[in-house]
């Protein structure tokens, strides 16, 4: 099977590794990364030019395109490929609105009786009305930019002043067009976890549950990031909770999307808030795999990922491609550049990856999130930092404790200037489990 993978982050590196492990797969990638090119041939195309992607698929006899990030989904890449008869793992632009418009997602959940926080949507012409509403809202209150904002468009405000500032900033263009509408939402108490469903438009298969660590600092402090680490499975999501999530959230979402003429085929990422009574409500939907959750979910997936995704892409989900969604436990610690999630330096040399991967009998994988090869004048190449999140150190084991230990042992073997990471990834899972 010839597969073209779109993306360049740690998530896509993990997808590349797992897809490559499926029998008879030849993998191509764009834009790719030095990590992804360990498993895939570079496709010299610009994924934002859909005609180029289509042309490449025809020339290279691509059987399936797997789209990693949200931006190409929101730009309709899947639609354009499908229109040319090319199988795609990833939802249409309309179905991806579950992620690309928080207002759409909230209204959809309300229409279909899916549990989520109370909310109201305001557009930029309702600025004063929104201010009045926020000023009398109970605290904390959550202000969200409607559109895609790389995980940075959400403010959990403890005071009305902070809430109003967030609202004004969104309407003043802080998030560009993503902030033209905003969602004002009730704050939900509880613990977060996420569930990933591989969907073919009607049916689904739920993969391992995971917990991300969104804040930059230990103990969930400081700014929100794209995700500083993850582990899977997440014991907070008991079998009973998962059964209810399947029945009360994922199933009605697929049925509702189909009934509204936008069947969802791809990975549905359900971000959950689980309260003390074990009731789960939706915090957010994403229309793609999570990053860094994919790194841990795929590390413990026992199955043939290429056949699983292909079956979903052609509308015939084949669950027999998977033997066990959670074969062991995995942990991923993200190494970020100094200053992340703000401005970061680029171009610092990275060393120690081979030592880290060799440290624990092949159970450690180092996924590249933001790296680049630097070519010296003598022809040698060195790996440099090239983004906010630089690497994702992922280890699997039989227990979470062991996976965490292996991860941090590997983390200590990798060096680059400004290396920044959390020291408590997975600790929540040990407390819960
Ligand atoms: P989102 O991009 O919608 O997932 O929001 C980013 C983060 O903000 C979430 O992972 C939560 O930690 C927090 N958050 C968002 N909405 C709420 C809410 N209604 N109640 C509590 N926390 C929230
Ligand atoms: N780790 C959060 C996300 O992928 O959206």
């Amino acid at each position: 099977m010839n597969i073209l993978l779109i993306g360049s982050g740690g998530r896509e590196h993990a997808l590349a590794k797992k897809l490559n492990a499926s029998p008879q797969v030849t993998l191509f990638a764009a834009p790719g990364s030095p990590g992804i090119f360990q498993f895939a041939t570079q496709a010299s195309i610009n994924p934002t030019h859909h005609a180029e992607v289509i042309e490449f698929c025809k020339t290279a006899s691509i059987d399936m395109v797997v789209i990693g990030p949200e931006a190409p989904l929101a730009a309709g890449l899947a639609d354009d490929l499908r229109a040319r008869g090319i199988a795609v793992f990833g939802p249409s632009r309309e179905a991806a609105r579950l992620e690309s418009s928080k207002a759409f997602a909230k209204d959809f959940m309300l229409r279909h009786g899916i549990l989520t926080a109370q909310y109201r949507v305001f557009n930029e012409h309702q600025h004063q009305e929104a201010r009045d509403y926020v000023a009398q809202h109970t605290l904390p209150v959550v202000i969200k930019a409607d559109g895609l904002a790389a995980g940075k468009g959400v403010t959990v405000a403890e005071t009305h002043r902070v809430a109003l500032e967030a609202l004004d900033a969104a309407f003043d263009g802080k998030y560009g067009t993503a902030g033209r509408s905003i969602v004002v939402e009730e704050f939900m108490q509880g613990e977060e976890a996420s569930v990933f469903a591989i969907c073919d438009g009607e049916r689904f298969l739920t993969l391992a549950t995971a917990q991300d660590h969104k804040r930059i600092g230990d103990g969930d402090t400081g700014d929100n990031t794209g995700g500083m680490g993850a582990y899977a499975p997440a014991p907070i999501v008991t079998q009973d909770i998962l059964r209810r999530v399947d029945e009360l959230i994922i199933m009605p979402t697929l049925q509702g999307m189909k009934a509204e003429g936008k069947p969802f085929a791809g990975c549905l990422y359900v971000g959950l808030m689980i309260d003390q009574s074990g009731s789960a409500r939706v915090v957010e939907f994403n229309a793609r795999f999570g990053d860094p959750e994919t790194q841990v979910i795929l590390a413990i997936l026992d199955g043939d990922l290429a056949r699983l995704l292909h079956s979903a892409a052609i509308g015939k989900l084949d669950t027999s491609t998977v033997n066990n969604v959670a074969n062991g436990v995995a942990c991923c610690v993200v190494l970020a550049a100094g200053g992340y999630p703000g401005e970061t330096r680029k171009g610092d040399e990275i060393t120690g990856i081979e030592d880290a991967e060799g440290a624990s009998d092949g159970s450690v994988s180092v996924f590249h999130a933001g790296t680049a090869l630097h070519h010296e004048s003598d022809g040698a190449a060195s790996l440099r930092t090239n983004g906010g999140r630089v690497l994702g150190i992922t280890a699997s084991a039989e227990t979470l404790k062991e996976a965490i230990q292996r991860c941090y042992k590997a983390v200590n073997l990798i060096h680059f200037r400004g290396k920044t990471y959390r020291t408590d990834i997975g600790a929540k899972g040990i407390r819960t489990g």
Side-chain angles (χ1 to χ4, degrees):
M1 193 189 313
N2 292 343
I3 301 176
L4 172 64
L5 175 64
I6 304 292
S8 61
R11 163 184 52 211
E12 287 79 22
H13 190 182
L15 282 164
K17 182 172 182 181
K18 194 75 181 175
L19 287 169
N20 191 60
S22 288
Q24 292 166 344
V25 163
T26 305
L27 198 58
F28 299 86
S33 72
I36 291 170
F37 298 140
Q38 294 163 358
F39 303 105
T41 304
Q42 180 166 17
S44 300
I45 50 171
N46 178 346
T48 62
H49 296 164
H50 297 183
E52 268 182 45
V53 182
I54 292 165
E55 183 61 32
F56 179 83
C57 289
K58 298 286 179 201
T59 318
S61 302
I62 294 296
D63 299 295
M64 168 172 66
V65 179
V66 175
I67 302 177
E70 58 274 25
L73 296 169
L77 178 58
D79 307 66
D80 289 343
L81 289 165
R82 281 198 191 100
R84 300 302 179 100
I86 301 161
V88 191
F89 183 79
S92 66
R93 185 207 315 250
E94 277 298 300
R97 288 183 73 207
L98 280 178
E99 171 168 8
S100 64
S101 169
K102 288 184 191 291
F104 169 82
K106 296 295 289 188
D107 290 344
F108 174 85
M109 286 187 266
L110 187 66
R111 281 197 294 281
H112 296 280
I114 296 166
L115 286 175
T116 187
Q118 302 267 354
Y119 72 102
R120 271 194 61 185
V121 179
F122 297 92
N123 66 38
E124 57 193 337
H125 306 297
Q126 298 169 302
H127 194 154
Q128 190 53 46
E129 207 181 326
R131 290 191 112 248
D132 295 342
Y133 180 77
V134 166
Q136 53 73 45
H137 201 289
T138 51
L139 294 171
V141 59
V142 185
I143 312 290
K144 299 184 174 183
D146 173 50
L148 294 178
K152 290 165 192 157
V154 174
T155 306
V156 177
E158 303 280 349
T159 65
H160 286 117
R161 188 177 58 80
V162 170
L164 289 168
E165 276 169 12
L167 179 82
D168 293 344
F171 284 143
D172 286 347
K174 180 173 178 193
Y175 311 109
T177 55
R180 274 201 197 142
S181 290
I182 54 126
V183 176
V184 179
E185 205 173 275
E186 162 206 6
F187 177 79
M188 293 186 281
Q189 296 282 358
E191 195 166 326
E192 286 180 75
S194 30
V195 172
F196 299 83
I198 303 297
C199 309
D200 72 355
E202 275 181 41
R203 289 157 293 231
F204 67 96
L205 173 73
T206 306
L207 301 181
T209 57
Q211 247 182 341
D212 189 9
H213 297 65
K214 287 202 170 124
R215 303 294 192 99
I216 185 73
D218 282 3
D220 293 332
T221 53
D223 289 343
N224 256 320
T225 70
M228 291 301 291
Y231 68 94
I236 175 109
V237 188
T238 59
Q239 280 305 316
D240 190 43
I241 295 177
L242 190 56
R243 193 178 44 74
R244 279 184 281 133
V245 168
D246 283 354
E247 269 173 30
L248 303 176
I249 297 173
I250 301 175
M251 191 48 103
T253 299
L254 292 189
Q255 285 169 346
M257 291 299 280
K258 188 167 178 232
E260 295 188 12
K262 336 179 220 293
F264 187 97
C267 178
L268 180 68
Y269 169 137
V270 186
L272 296 169
M273 188 69 80
I274 298 167
D275 72 13
Q276 280 195 324
S277 70
S279 134
R281 290 196 279 171
V282 176
V283 179
E284 62 164 342
F285 283 126
N286 291 316
R288 46 153 181 95
F289 284 104
D291 190 346
E293 294 95 321
T294 304
Q295 288 82 316
V296 286
I297 285 167
L298 296 185
I300 56 171
L301 178 74
D302 173 9
D304 183 332
L305 185 69
R307 278 182 51 227
L308 173 67
L309 300 191
H310 186 257
S311 71
I314 61 170
K316 293 181 181 163
L317 185 72
D318 180 0
T319 55
S320 76
T321 52
V322 171
N323 301 319
N324 184 352
V325 296
N327 182 25
V329 182
C331 176
C332 172
V333 175
V334 169
L335 303 186
Y340 181 74
E343 283 293 303
T344 55
R345 285 161 51 96
K346 289 182 179 174
D348 291 313
E349 186 166 1
I350 305 166
T351 58
I353 291 184
E354 278 183 19
D355 294 340
E357 289 196 317
S360 298
D361 298 335
S363 65
V364 173
S365 298
V366 175
F367 294 117
H368 295 219
T371 69
L373 278 179
H374 179 79
H375 296 278
E376 316 287 346
S377 52
D378 63 1
S382 62
L383 194 68
R384 304 290 176 100
T385 61
N386 193 40
R389 292 191 290 179
V390 177
L391 298 170
I393 318 306
T394 307
S396 53
E398 278 181 20
T399 65
L400 179 57
K401 206 169 163 198
E402 176 76 25
I404 294 170
Q405 273 167 3
R406 287 181 184 179
C407 245
Y408 280 104
K409 190 171 156 196
V411 163
N412 288 330
L413 293 169
I414 295 181
H415 304 283
F416 58 85
R417 189 174 155 177
K419 179 176 103 172
T420 301
Y421 60 96
R422 279 181 60 161
T423 64
D424 63 348
I425 303 298
K428 264 189 230 168
I430 295 204
R431 282 200 300 276
T432 321

